[in-house]
Amino acid sequence: MARKALITGITGQDGSYLAEFLLSKGYEVHGTFRRASTPTFDRIQHLVDDIQVHQTDLTDQSSLFKLVRQVQPDEVYNLAAQSFVGTSWDQVIATGDVTGLGTARILEAIRCVDPGIRFYQASSSEMFGKVHETPQRETTVLHPRSPYGVAKVYSHYLTINFRESYDMYACSGILFNHESPRRGLEFVTRKITHAVARIKMGLQDELRLGNLDAKRDWGFAGDYVEAMWMMLQQESPDDYVIGTGVTVRVGDFVELAFAEVGLDPADYVIVDPKFYRPAEVDILLADPAKAQRQLGWQPKTDLQALVRMMVEHDLKLAEQEAHQLNRQTTLRVRRAA
């Protein structure tokens, strides 16, 4: 029989790539989505005939119990969260309830239904925050600088606690920034590539950003979901840092993106203080040696290829948008005539 996996947050960037990967491994894939007036299945539209989706909510304990009982998964990947750092400052309580306590509810459901289920927790490099050493590894002190980072630290330590207290196979992947064409527009990398494409097509004339000197370790989400799976295939559960081991400035990412379309960022980029965080995370740089050594995991996509992938995707969207606007303009002119 095919192994069964349950992915919370399957409609997100990581959930969609993980679903593709698990299907390629022959899994029966189940995923959760949160009720909304207009469900967004854009990222998994091409998979809907091959997966089973379930409406649930990380704030509702009873629905999580029912879901785990119903699906009886071999593996659970907890990717659902309020995952935007900026929003966490405006929605502190909601972020704690979903990103923090949501993990507690899933772990409790697994413990009560079948503690033999293997569990993956999506931890984050934002937990390092005000970094105490560079590069950051599994033993680096955690010092989060946002409500999102604090909620992720709670989930991270709770996962360790359930592993040690109940002998559950529960592990965390401390993933550094990982991007793709499926990244939400509120994230800085996608904000950049989307704006670059629209500027190239004449649809906007500037790009406003915050701290261009912040440094991040960026990789491709499609590579990182493979590491998630590898963690659950080991003899014993453990926690792993996943990243490229290379850090670059936000400003460097901007330059790479504009270079893809032959434009000079100096002509379009405006630094706007309103996009600065209340407490900035200045540098994140992964030391993925443990994952490379114990899992055999290596990133396959370098930053240049990632930026090109994202810009090309957003150029297609911008071309479609420009075509639609031109069509609407033509129709208005004809009606006026």
Side-chain angles (χ1 to χ4, degrees), residues 112-178:
C112 294
V113 174
D114 179 4
I117 294 170
R118 297 193 168 199
F119 175 78
Y120 170 84
Q121 167 60 20
S123 288
S124 167
S125 59
E126 288 287 332
M127 300 189 308
F128 295 120
K130 188 175 182 179
V131 299
H132 287 241
E133 64 177 342
T134 298
Q136 294 87 50
R137 50 184 64 89
E138 291 79 6
T139 55
T140 300
V141 173
L142 305 180
H143 190 151
R145 299 268 280 173
S146 67
Y148 169 78
V150 171
K152 282 293 187 180
V153 169
Y154 172 83
S155 291
H156 180 74
Y157 278 126
L158 194 68
T159 299
I160 293 172
N161 187 258
F162 269 64
R163 179 169 75 218
E164 295 176 349
S165 301
Y166 302 115
D167 196 28
M168 290 170 59
Y169 194 110
C171 61
S172 292
I174 307 173
L175 271 58
F176 280 63
N177 298 69
H178 46 290

Side-chain angles (χ1 to χ4, degrees), residues 13-14 83 85 123-128 136 148 174-180 183 187-189 215-221 224 241-248 250 253 277 281 283-286 297 301 303 306:
Q13 170 190 256
D14 292 6
S83 59
V85 174
S123 288
S124 167
S125 59
E126 288 287 332
M127 300 189 308
F128 295 120
Q136 294 87 50
Y148 169 78
I174 307 173
L175 271 58
F176 280 63
N177 298 69
H178 46 290
E179 318 300 317
S180 77
R183 195 53 140 158
F187 290 87
V188 68
T189 52
K215 294 181 178 179
R216 296 292 183 270
D217 182 331
W218 277 302
F220 173 48
Y224 286 38
V241 161
I242 303 297
T244 68
V246 178
T247 190
V248 298
V250 172
F253 192 103
R277 296 177 182 179
V281 174
I283 179 170
L284 292 174
L285 173 61
W297 178 84
T301 310
L303 184 61
L306 173 62

Side-chain angles (χ1 to χ4, degrees), residues 189-201:
T189 52
R190 185 72 196 292
K191 177 181 178 179
I192 292 166
T193 61
H194 188 252
V196 164
R198 296 187 83 248
I199 288 170
K200 180 65 176 179
M201 296 302 300

Side-chain angles (χ1 to χ4, degrees), residues 266-287:
D267 296 331
Y268 304 98
V269 176
I270 298 172
V271 174
D272 189 335
K274 83 173 184 180
F275 292 113
Y276 277 72
R277 296 177 182 179
E280 185 59 78
V281 174
D282 296 317
I283 179 170
L284 292 174
L285 173 61
D287 177 1

